[in-house]
């Protein structure tokens, strides 16, 4: 049976660092409160979605050793396109010199996992050989920087992978879900700012990640003790650890980039993946569990074998 595996990965963060102390100058908050309640120490802010996505994708293509013309499709998961029209993926496609189809996918912070599952299906059943999958967001542009309930969390950045056809499928199980009845707890009108019922998002996020991760592991035929690295959406360290506890994964197996990146939505999972692959934490043969949740609400999990 035809399958797919990741052969290249990359990430991109803006240069500008905004510390908790910087935020405390502009609103009634403190470094101690933000660290304690979210696990975030600083975040990266700036750039455009197309610019950061292109940077992450270039690195992924280089690592995979892929010429731009060999890519069959580009999927950009983002909730912050640079324009309503055209899709930001078209801009990225041109910047990279690709000669393939390109589309944006919006599943908020679950977007990268949704895109990975879509790409896998198009390789497995659609005959494509090589798909560039990017998750990238610039949430700073839809954040109200006077609102301490949201501004402490959100940031910019992204990551990318090249998914290629192989005989031995590395994507072992997945789960996708959504519940539009919860749309109001985290939303942003066109031209507006993100608003959030933080406590409700927190409560539902833990539940969604746990059940989605368990569904994906069941499909893959593995259990929590088989997972080498859990890469959850990076929204709040308390959500990440609480979900890990309930799934049964020790905290030292949870990839955390949140502390210095903040929450860049669809960017967090590929950023965590690229970071842990580059620093040698993730080794060939390791079993990874990626799990996202976000506005919608949406959730998505993927169990994959790291066999680059
Ligand atoms: N600085 C200082 N004090 C604050 C701040 C702040 N930034 N924010 C709230 N407080 C105060 C509150 O006023 C309250 O004070 P009170 O007890 O006197 O009334 C107290 O701190 C506790 O406030 P809570 O809202 O209960 O704080 P909580 O522990 O719930 O943390 C937070 C808030 C961090 C937003 C948390 O609810 C959370 O992380 N929720 C999930 C958010 C999330 O994951 N969002 C993204 C998901 S999807 C996506 O990424 C797009």
């Amino acid at each position: 049976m035809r399958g797919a595996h990741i052969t290249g990965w990359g990430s991109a963060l803006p240069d500008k660092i905004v510390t908790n102390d910087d935020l405390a100058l502009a609103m009634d908050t403190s470094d101690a409160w933000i660290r304690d309640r979210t696990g975030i120490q600083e975040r990266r802010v700036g750039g455009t979605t197309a610019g950061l996505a292109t940077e992450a994708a270039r690195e992924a293509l280089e690592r995979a050793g892929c010429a731009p013309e060999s890519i069959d499709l580009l999927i950009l998961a983002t909730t912050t396109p640079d324009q309503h029209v055209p899709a930001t993926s078209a801009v990225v496609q041109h910047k990279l010199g690709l000669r393939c189809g390109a589309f944006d996918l919006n599943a908020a912070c679950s977007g990268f996992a949704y895109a990975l599952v879509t790409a896998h299906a198009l390789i497995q059943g659609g005959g494509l050989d090589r798909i560039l999958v990017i998750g990238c967001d610039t949430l700073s542009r839809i954040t109200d920087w006077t609102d301490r309930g949201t501004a402490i969390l959100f940031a910019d950045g992204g990551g990318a992978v090249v998914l290629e056809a192989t005989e031995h499928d590395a994507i072992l199980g997945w789960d996708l879900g959504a519940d539009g009845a919860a749309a109001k707890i985290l939303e942003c009108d066109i031209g507006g700012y993100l608003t959030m019922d933080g406590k409700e998002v927190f409560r539902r996020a833990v539940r969604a990640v746990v059940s989605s991760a368990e569904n994906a592991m069941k499909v893959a035929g593995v259990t929590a003790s088989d997972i080498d690295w859990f890469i959850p959406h990076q929204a709040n360290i308390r959500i990440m650890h609480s979900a890990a506890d309930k799934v049964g994964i020790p905290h030292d197996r949870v990839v955390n980039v949140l502390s210095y990146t903040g929450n860049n939505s669809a960017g967090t999972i590929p950023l965590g993946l690229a970071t842990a692959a580059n620093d040698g934490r993730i080794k060939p043969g390791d079993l990874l569990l990626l799990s996202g949740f976000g506005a919608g609400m949406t959730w998505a999990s993927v169990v994959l074998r790291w066999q680059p």
Side-chain angles (χ1 to χ4, degrees):
M1 176 100 166
R2 193 176 155 88
H5 68 150
I6 290 172
T7 55
W9 55 91
S11 62
L13 287 169
D15 293 335
K16 185 175 175 188
I17 296 173
V18 175
T19 65
N20 294 340
D21 285 331
D22 292 334
L23 291 182
L25 294 174
M27 63 192 77
D28 183 15
T29 191
S30 66
D31 176 50
W33 194 96
I34 301 171
R35 276 177 198 251
D36 182 53
R37 306 307 291 167
T38 72
I40 298 171
Q41 297 172 22
E42 59 188 37
R43 74 275 303 128
R44 295 296 186 98
V45 170
T48 61
T49 297
L52 293 166
T54 302
E55 189 183 331
R58 273 210 182 101
E59 199 178 301
L61 289 173
E62 199 172 308
R63 195 173 297 273
C66 283
E69 55 273 19
S70 72
I71 296 293
D72 297 322
L73 182 70
L74 160 62
I75 308 177
L76 170 61
T78 188
T79 201
T80 46
D82 293 327
Q83 297 169 276
H84 292 307
V85 177
T88 302
S89 52
V91 177
V92 175
Q93 186 252 21
H94 178 64
K95 279 176 181 277
L96 291 170
L98 309 184
R99 296 189 206 132
C100 60
F103 67 93
D104 286 13
L105 180 157
N106 181 351
C109 309
S110 316
F112 179 76
Y114 262 80
L116 200 58
V117 171
T118 306
H120 176 244
L122 285 167
I123 287 176
Q124 206 174 42
L128 301 188
D129 290 325
R130 220 165 273 114
I131 302 183
L132 182 57
V133 182
I134 310 173
C136 187
D137 269 299
T138 46
L139 290 183
S140 71
R141 298 185 303 172
I142 56 168
T143 298
D144 175 355
W145 288 99
T146 63
D147 172 19
R148 70 178 186 170
T150 52
I152 55 163
L153 298 171
F154 298 132
D156 307 331
V161 300
V162 175
L163 195 69
E164 292 198 49
T166 175
E167 268 177 43
H168 305 288
D169 200 3
I171 310 284
L172 306 180
W174 52 267
D175 175 72
L176 304 180
D179 178 9
K184 289 281 167 204
I185 64 172
L186 177 53
E187 62 179 345
C188 176
D189 283 332
I190 305 244
Y193 292 128
L194 282 162
T195 58
M196 177 178 76
D197 176 345
K199 274 199 186 312
E200 190 57 20
V201 172
F202 194 115
R203 206 170 59 80
R204 286 173 183 260
V206 175
R207 261 193 344 232
V209 168
V210 171
S211 77
S212 180
E214 284 173 350
N215 287 343
M217 287 193 294
K218 195 169 167 197
V219 174
V222 303
T223 64
S225 58
D226 299 316
I227 300 295
D228 294 295
W229 293 105
F230 178 34
I231 310 177
H233 170 48
Q234 315 271 310
N236 183 319
I237 194 70
R238 292 187 294 137
I239 296 176
M240 292 155 62
H241 283 168
S242 174
D245 290 343
K246 289 187 164 66
V247 173
I249 297 173
H251 294 184
D252 62 2
R253 295 269 132 193
V254 180
V255 172
N256 171 10
V257 293
L258 171 77
S259 54
Y260 64 92
T261 63
N263 173 358
N264 47 54
S265 194
T268 72
I269 291 179
L271 245 167
L273 182 69
T275 305
N278 286 343
D279 66 21
R281 262 179 292 177
I282 300 177
K283 299 196 167 43
D286 278 358
L287 194 63
L288 313 184
L289 169 62
L290 320 181
S291 209
F293 68 91
M297 282 193 74
T298 58
W299 53 88
S301 297
V302 179
V303 174
L304 71 96
R305 183 76 63 193
W306 190 248
Q307 48 187 45

